[in-house]
Amino acid sequence: MVSKKKSDAETKSSANDAELLHSMLLQRRFEERVAEAYALGKIGGFCHLYIGQEAVSTGTLSMLRADDYIITTYRDHGQALARGISSRSVMAELFGRQDGCSRGKGGSMHLFDQNTNFLGGHGIVGGHVPLATGVGFAIKYRGGDQVIVCFMGESVVNTGAFHEALNMAALWKLPCVFIIENNRYGMGTSLERASAIHDIYERGAAYNMARQQCDGQDIFAVRQAVGEAVERARKEQQPTLLEVRTYRFMGHSMSDAVSGTYRTKAELEEYMKRDPISLLRAKMEKDGTLNEEQLQKMDADIKAVVQDAWDFADASPELPLEALYEDVYVDTTT
Amino acid sequence: MPVVTYRDALGAAIREEMQRDDRVFLMGEEVGVYNGAYKVSKGFLQEFGEMRVVDTPITELGFAGVGVGAAMVGLRPVIEFMTWNFALLALDQVVNAAAKMLYMSGGQYKIPIVFRGPNGAALQLSAQHSQAWESWLAHIPGLKVVAPGTPYDAKGLLKSAIRDDNPVCFLEGEMLYNTKGDVPDEEYIIPLGKADLKREGDACSIITHGKMVLVAMQAADQLAKDGIAIDVVDLRTIRPMDVEAITTSVRKTNRAVVLEEGWEVCGVGAQVVDHIQRECFDSLDAPVIRVHQADVPMPYTKSLEKAAKPDLPKTIAAVRKVMYLD
């Protein structure tokens, strides 16, 4: 069957380096302002920043079609922005306002957007992985050629839900791409203190599933690996387990010190030398596709976009009290 | 009217809905090749094929989540648990995913799914296989909870549950599957959230649901011989609960016994009594009495198991007590 939609190769060629840099820098500047808003009390609850991992979100989502599906964890701001949900509606959601992408009812951990097939940030570690297998099942059931990308942290691999979901995805040959964002720590517990094996993509062997490990700070490595996995899902209806090695530059959440207890400042500084944005910027400067002036302009434009998102969120009202009881049940039958 | 078993009534409901809507599929352990652990889905695999009648590994958390994920993107899964005891492994998907998706997505993602299977005790299955879970499930906003006691209700309510756009927990009974009752050939559905007055009387109300409906009816038969006419209110749906039906009955009879399979503490009966004391306070001629399982894990020992279960003698004794006859 010949698809009228853009092939993965075309998608890949259409994303240029400047677009990739823009997407990553937008997430970085957005998260910096989120930290500020949190400190000012404009954002509450649990809030998990994505800083340091931007090559994973942008690299992955730049390889998808508009009709593909994404599901993720509570560290979801970066992926939401990289998928194209407006910074206005993401910021308004974090502010708990009615113009937020989940009407302010979900908050930081539960960004949803039906327009972009963004199936949510989910708050129970491992709980969303079976949902991804279910979306893969539905795609196969309908005979479609979409794929579902499921992001998760490395701590997920020790849950039963991960095992159950990956087994069924492989058993039933479903178009799922499981992406482990291995940022080295599940809260404050290092991978080595939590998992009996440390090359965790090898967990895929237990399900006879295609598996790979890649550098998550190099956006081109991410795009290469994700491209292959997406192709495998779309063309062969086979799932992939991809371990992307990255690092979180901030604490686990806003209440967590950046370093000092479970990791040293020296370790943090070592990893920050491989900032994914700096790596792409250096490559573009070397290629002659980006000069200082262009970078400054891009940064200024992005800062203005984020300021606009802040202003928009701040001006958006909270839902009226009548909305308390809305969305508990749908008042329809089929 | 044809006489049909509870098992076949459930099977007919699923079959008719699968014929009506190709988004409906059945998934669970042994539903296909084995024809269903309790034979509810006998012949389904041949009729609908393996994409719509899906045998799963023994992996309750996993396949419950697969159902929720499929429902998020437009399918209408019927997820069979071999028993609700095993569904405890899947509760994260039922409670944290299915029940909350609509709310936390601000109304974007509805979850039209049915989780179904036998609930409550059978015979000598011991502690882990004999539990009634409706109070746990009914505690959760976002879920609907249904527990039919007759073949007629089982079919009509299951068809409604499958057509409902919300997650529905459908509690059947291992001891009910072979029971028989009138089920018409013509299509019918029974709306969720509507109780059924199974017997009319003016002396005392028995408010119950699920398997205990049969016990309540037997109690009503027996008490009728002594000239005591019982109102039997079958809730049928635990959430949303038809509280008007409770009010109407208790205001008429002025006395109530609340009968359920599960344990006493924080049980469904506690919720019913809470409603009665607020809405029927001035109508009551006696304190409400609850009949329920003894507050212990279910024993294997035959005589102890009998002592633990709510049954006909305990129900009759409770009615006589609220009527100050003993």
Side-chain angles (χ1 to χ4, degrees), chain A residues 243-260:
Chain A
E243 177 191 353
V244 181
R245 293 214 153 183
T246 182
Y247 198 78
R248 112 170 108 64
F249 291 177
M250 307 298 285
H252 166 72
S253 70
M254 296 305 297
S255 58
D256 177 24
V258 176
S259 65

Side-chain angles (χ1 to χ4, degrees), chain A residues 69 101-103 105-106 112-114 119 127 131 134 138 141-142 164 168 324 326-327 329-330 332-334, chain B residues 22-24 51-52 59 62 65-66 69 73 76 93 102-106 108-109 142-143 163 165-166 239:
Chain A
Y69 295 99
C101 56
S102 306
R103 301 178 73 212
K105 281 186 162 180
F112 286 82
D113 181 46
Q114 209 158 26
L119 299 169
L131 303 183
Y141 188 96
R142 291 192 297 235
E164 297 189 19
M168 280 184 282
L324 177 62
E326 291 171 5
D327 307 323
Y329 295 98
V330 196
T332 54
T333 54
T334 302
Chain B
D22 61 14
R23 296 169 300 174
V24 179
M51 205 64 224
R52 298 186 69 195
T59 185
V66 167
V73 295
R76 306 182 72 85
Q93 295 300 339
L102 185 71
Y103 202 83
M104 65 186 186
S105 69
Q108 293 178 84
Y109 285 101
L143 297 180
R163 295 181 192 188
D165 279 338
N166 299 285
R239 180 194 263 267

Side-chain angles (χ1 to χ4, degrees), chain B residues 23 99 102 136 144 234:
Chain B
R23 296 169 300 174
L102 185 71
W136 279 38
K144 294 186 178 181
D234 176 3

Side-chain angles (χ1 to χ4, degrees), chain A residues 257-268:
Chain A
V258 176
S259 65
T261 52
Y262 58 88
R263 64 182 183 186
T264 63
K265 192 153 181 281
E267 177 188 306
L268 180 66

Side-chain angles (χ1 to χ4, degrees), chain B:
Chain B
M1 199 181 289
V3 174
V4 171
T5 63
Y6 188 96
R7 164 187 295 112
D8 290 342
L10 292 169
I14 303 169
R15 175 181 280 113
E16 287 174 18
E17 293 308 302
M18 286 179 72
Q19 288 166 344
R20 176 178 176 268
D21 185 344
D22 61 14
R23 296 169 300 174
V24 179
F25 67 94
L26 177 66
M27 174 178 277
E29 292 155 6
E30 311 291 1
V31 297
V33 173
Y34 196 83
N35 280 316
Y38 293 100
K39 310 300 173 201
V40 169
S41 54
K42 192 172 178 196
F44 276 39
L45 183 60
Q46 290 71 26
E47 182 173 352
F48 296 106
E50 61 183 16
M51 205 64 224
R52 298 186 69 195
V53 182
V54 187
D55 279 327
T56 66
I58 298 174
T59 185
E60 279 80 8
L61 172 63
F63 69 73
V66 167
V68 177
M72 283 186 85
V73 295
L75 299 187
R76 306 182 72 85
V78 177
I79 300 295
E80 176 171 313
F81 293 124
M82 198 179 289
T83 124
W84 275 93
N85 294 289
F86 303 165
L88 256 63
L89 291 160
L91 275 193
D92 177 55
Q93 295 300 339
V94 177
V95 174
N96 274 320
K100 293 177 176 57
M101 203 69 75
L102 185 71
Y103 202 83
M104 65 186 186
S105 69
Q108 293 178 84
Y109 285 101
K110 63 181 184 182
I111 308 294
I113 192 169
V114 176
F115 299 107
R116 50 161 289 270
N119 173 63
L123 290 172
Q124 283 197 288
L125 297 184
S126 190
Q128 293 179 333
H129 285 72
S130 304
Q131 304 165 95
W133 294 112
E134 51 268 44
S135 66
W136 279 38
L137 299 164
H139 193 58
I140 310 298
L143 297 180
K144 294 186 178 181
V145 181
V146 182
T150 67
Y152 179 85
D153 288 342
K155 184 176 179 190
L157 289 166
L158 185 51
K159 285 171 71 79
S160 274
I162 294 170
R163 295 181 192 188
D164 201 285
D165 279 338
N166 299 285
V168 180
C169 297
F170 200 89
L171 309 171
E172 302 159 9
E174 201 172 326
M175 302 297 287
L176 288 173
Y177 286 131
N178 282 333
T179 59
K180 291 179 179 169
D182 292 339
V183 176
D185 282 330
E186 330 52 272
E187 180 170 57
Y188 67 97
I189 59 166
I190 299 171
L192 305 186
K194 292 285 176 208
D196 183 39
L197 192 59
K198 285 278 191 292
R199 179 74 59 93
E200 265 198 87
D202 56 10
C204 177
S205 304
I206 298 179
I207 298 149
T208 190
H209 64 271
K211 193 194 302 174
M212 290 297 110
V213 171
L214 304 188
V215 175
M217 296 301 280
Q218 289 166 3
D221 286 343
Q222 198 153 322
L223 288 159
K225 292 174 189 161
D226 298 327
I228 301 167
I230 301 294
D231 233 25
V232 176
V233 179
D234 176 3
L235 294 172
R236 299 198 293 198
T237 301
I238 312 301
R239 180 194 263 267
M241 191 178 281
D242 186 353
V243 289
E244 288 79 17
I246 299 171
T247 306
T248 304
S249 176
V250 177
R251 284 186 181 165
K252 175 178 69 178
T253 65
N254 312 116
R255 299 169 199 272
V257 167
V258 186
L259 167 63
E260 67 183 306
E261 256 198 294
W263 289 298
E264 176 182 21
V265 179
C266 303
V268 171
Q271 185 66 30
V272 173
V273 172
D274 169 68
H275 174 77
I276 292 172
Q277 62 84 21
R278 260 179 296 112
E279 297 299 323
C280 311
F281 188 79
D282 293 328
S283 306
L284 287 177
D285 286 343
V288 180
I289 293 185
R290 292 175 58 196
V291 181
H292 44 74
Q293 191 195 314
D295 198 18
V296 296
M298 189 66 84
Y300 173 74
T301 323
K302 244 182 188 170
S303 54
L304 296 185
E305 183 190 40
K306 187 173 185 318
K309 285 177 170 175
D311 62 6
L312 181 60
K314 289 170 190 163
T315 305
I316 288 172
V319 171
R320 293 184 66 86
K321 191 170 177 191
V322 297
M323 297 191 68
Y324 298 119
L325 293 173
D326 291 326

